[in-house]
Amino acid sequence: MFVFTDGPSVVSIDKSGRLNLSATDTCSDPCFFFLGADTDFKVTANSDNVRISTFAFDKPAQLCGAYSINQLKPFSPSEHKFTTLPVNDTLSRTVDSIVHLYEARLRCSNILLMKLQEIFFVISAYYTSEDLGRLLAPLLRKEIDFKEFVTQNFLRCDTVQDLADLRGENIRQFKKEFSEAFNVPPYTWMLQQKAKFIDERLADPTVPFSEIVEDFRFSSPSHFTVFCRRQFNMTPTQRRRMLIRDEAQKRAAERCARHPNILEK
């Protein structure tokens, strides 16, 4: 995060890199903005008296108390557009207090971490969710992009290692990123999601078991049966019968709801 104060001055930001932000933006008043770690950039200011404060951090879990950064996902644009926000008096004073600590060489890591949390407290209090969603889009999009990759590709992979290799990440980093995004271990999630897709196929009586075995790359029909016993506590045949019965009962209940007087007559 970059905070420009002691202006006004014209700040130009040339951006490029993986996010494909190739443009120049200017702000003539004290402002702040965020750039993701995977963005190359060059920042220039046309005034000698401008002060640039930079803050590097991993994704903050909480903006304030129970205000999670995940609550901003609905406000994050599908395509990240570079955003600057004006520095208000409260944020300016907060940054001034951090600069004062640095200049006085009072650089306790615990205190500075608390001051960083104070910054997020201030911006969550004084700026709208729409503004923050645009500002922190690189953080939010990173997690959203990861989830999109997983949901679009996990059926192509038999193991977590296969999925990590497809992502181009080592298995340790991938598992860490996965747990942060889904709040569940990757292998457990993959089995649960695979079971949901198989359930959809089992619910269709026209789909033969052999087709499911082939499509989901089970090594044999017995392997498929073992999977169903572990996930559903049933054989494939038992699961299909239950799903078909449940669907028939659901439709019957819907018909009764639409025509409540039929049975009475």
Side-chain angles (χ1 to χ4, degrees):
M1 182 175 291
F2 292 75
V3 182
F4 288 76
T5 54
D6 294 347
S9 64
V10 176
V11 180
S12 300
I13 307 99
D14 294 307
K15 305 168 298 299
S16 61
R18 287 174 54 190
L19 293 179
N20 296 320
L21 300 175
S22 55
T24 299
D25 293 272
T26 62
C27 53
S28 57
D29 296 311
C31 64
F32 68 106
F33 55 87
F34 172 82
L35 292 175
D38 56 357
T39 306
D40 298 325
F41 55 88
K42 179 182 180 181
V43 179
T44 58
N46 71 339
S47 174
D48 293 335
N49 70 334
V50 67
R51 187 181 72 201
I52 307 173
S53 301
T54 63
F55 303 91
F57 52 87
D58 295 325
K59 189 185 81 170
Q62 304 294 120
L63 292 173
C64 168
Y67 189 177
S68 169
I69 189 175
N70 292 329
Q71 294 175 237
L72 296 175
K73 287 180 181 178
F75 304 99
S76 177
S78 57
E79 293 185 8
H80 174 51
K81 296 182 179 179
F82 180 74
T83 298
T84 63
L85 295 178
V87 175
N88 65 18
D89 291 340
T90 305
L91 179 57
S92 180
R93 287 194 294 269
T94 302
V95 173
D96 286 343
S97 68
I98 299 174
V99 172
H100 175 74
L101 292 177
Y102 260 85
E103 291 177 345
R105 298 187 179 278
L106 301 175
R107 303 178 185 180
C108 170
S109 60
N110 291 333
I111 297 299
L112 293 175
L113 178 59
M114 293 173 62
K115 299 299 289 185
L116 181 60
Q117 292 173 339
E118 182 181 346
I119 286 179
F120 280 101
F121 166 70
V122 169
I123 67 174
S124 66
Y126 286 92
Y127 298 86
T128 67
S129 296
E130 290 79 4
D131 285 340
L132 295 180
R134 294 194 302 270
L135 178 76
L136 299 176
L139 285 178
L140 298 166
R141 284 301 309 171
K142 181 179 180 181
E143 182 169 313
I144 294 172
D145 289 343
F146 180 83
K147 285 186 174 181
E148 288 176 350
F149 165 81
V150 170
T151 54
Q152 291 172 6
N153 292 284
F154 81 95
L155 285 176
R156 299 168 52 193
C157 302
D158 295 322
T159 66
V160 178
Q161 182 67 62
D162 292 341
L163 197 55
D165 291 343
L166 190 62
R167 178 74 174 176
E169 295 180 356
N170 66 67
I171 188 66
R172 183 176 180 181
Q173 174 61 28
F174 182 82
K175 287 182 176 180
K176 180 177 181 294
E177 192 171 357
F178 193 101
S179 296
E180 291 175 350
F182 290 92
N183 296 315
V184 66
Y187 185 65
T188 300
W189 184 91
M190 290 176 69
L191 288 178
Q192 292 172 346
Q193 297 303 309
K194 189 175 182 179
K196 290 180 181 179
F197 279 88
I198 288 175
D199 243 3
E200 292 177 1
R201 305 294 291 280
L202 287 173
D204 185 350
T206 66
V207 178
F209 291 157
S210 59
E211 183 176 314
I212 300 176
V213 169
E214 180 178 355
D215 289 347
F216 289 90
R217 297 189 301 281
F218 289 104
S219 59
S220 65
S222 61
H223 183 201
F224 176 44
T225 300
V226 169
F227 177 89
C228 289
R229 286 189 179 278
R230 289 177 176 174
Q231 294 300 312
F232 310 125
N233 199 28
M234 301 178 186
T235 66
T237 299
Q238 291 170 335
R239 184 66 174 176
R240 170 163 282 176
R241 287 174 179 169
M242 189 202 78
L243 291 171
I244 294 174
R245 183 181 67 248
D246 290 350
E247 181 62 23
Q249 292 174 347
K250 178 182 176 181
R251 291 180 180 177
E254 291 174 348
R255 286 196 297 270
C256 289
R258 288 196 300 268
H259 308 286
N261 298 324
I262 291 180
L263 292 179
E264 293 181 4
K265 294 180 180 180

